[in-house]
Amino acid sequence: MVGLAVVFVTVMHAQPPDTIIARTNPGPAQLRQAWAVYGNEDDYVGQGVGGIPDINGDGINEFAVSDRKYGYRIFYGSKEPLSTTPAMILHVGGHHPIVGDFWGTGHVTVGGLRGNGVIGTEYTDMVYLYRTESGSIDTAHPVIMDPRTMTPPALTSINDVVAADLDGDGADELIILMTGVRRNGSLDPFAEI
C-alpha cells in the first residue's frame, strides 16, 4: 500500500531562513509530510507552487516553489527522499509555474511572470517562457512576451496563466487572465482573457 505524499510550503516566522526539511515516511498507509520549505516574514514562500512534467529524463515529475527572494526554485522529483537543494532557479513568479508544449515538439516549456520593475503607471507583468533541452531548462534564452510591444501597447496586471491545446494542433496555447489593462493612457475596467 502506498501512502499519499504531501509537500508542505508555508511561511513560518519562527524558522531559520530558508530551512528545508526532507523526511521519509515510516508508515506507508498514512498521510505523510515528505518535504517542507520555510521562509522568513515577507519572503512569500509558497506564493506559487506547481508540478512540472519530467525534465531530467528519469521518468519522475519535478515541482517548483516560488518566493519573493528567488522566484521559482525547481526541484527534481525522486524515488529517494526529495533533495533540499534546487536543481535550478528561474527568476520569475506567479501563482503556479506556466507549463506547456507551446511549439508542438513534445518538449516541455516552463515559465512564469515577471514585472518590468517600474513602479507606477508604467508597471506591467510580462510572461517568460524557457524551453527544456538535454535534461535542463535553457535559462539563457527565454521567450519574453511583453504587452508593451502589442498593438496598441498595453500595461497589464496578469492574474493567472494556463496552458492548453485549444485547437488540437499538438501545441499548447497560453490563456492569460488580465485583471487590469491600460491602453492609450486609459484603464480598461473589464478583465480580459
Side-chain angles (χ1 to χ4, degrees):
M1 196 183 246
V2 177
L4 174 66
V6 178
V7 174
F8 291 97
V9 181
T10 184
V11 176
M12 299 292 288
H13 302 294
Q15 298 294 326
D18 296 325
T19 300
I20 298 176
I21 301 170
R23 307 184 185 131
T24 57
N25 181 20
Q30 61 187 350
L31 185 64
R32 65 185 169 108
Q33 177 178 331
W35 186 93
V37 61
Y38 303 97
N40 289 316
E41 188 174 355
D42 297 327
D43 279 353
Y44 292 92
V45 171
Q47 175 178 320
V49 64
I52 299 173
D54 181 29
I55 293 172
N56 62 355
D58 65 359
I60 301 172
N61 290 345
E62 327 311 353
F63 68 101
V65 176
S66 176
D67 63 44
R68 183 181 280 178
K69 184 176 180 181
Y70 296 106
Y72 271 110
R73 292 184 270 178
I74 309 295
F75 295 89
Y76 289 149
S78 175
K79 291 181 181 178
E80 302 300 320
L82 296 172
S83 174
T84 58
T85 304
M88 61 194 70
I89 296 174
L90 299 179
H91 296 285
V92 295
H95 299 296
H96 51 82
I98 302 166
V99 178
D101 177 6
F102 301 109
W103 287 270
T105 60
H107 290 99
V108 173
T109 302
V110 179
L113 305 176
R114 184 188 301 176
N116 66 354
V118 177
I119 303 302
T121 59
E122 295 301 311
Y123 181 84
T124 193
D125 288 325
M126 297 179 286
V127 175
Y128 279 66
L129 299 175
Y130 302 89
R131 295 180 192 226
T132 58
E133 296 179 12
S134 305
S136 186
I137 297 175
D138 179 7
T139 59
H141 305 96
V143 173
I144 303 169
M145 304 174 100
D146 185 343
R148 296 172 297 176
T149 63
M150 294 170 29
T151 304
L155 302 175
T156 62
S157 175
I158 298 175
N159 188 313
D160 204 0
V161 181
V162 178
D165 183 2
L166 300 175
D167 55 12
D169 67 354
D172 289 329
E173 284 75 40
L174 279 176
I175 305 166
I176 301 174
L177 172 61
M178 298 180 286
T179 53
V181 179
R182 184 178 297 275
R183 289 191 180 90
N184 301 321
S186 298
L187 182 63
D188 185 343
F190 302 103
E192 292 185 20
I193 298 177

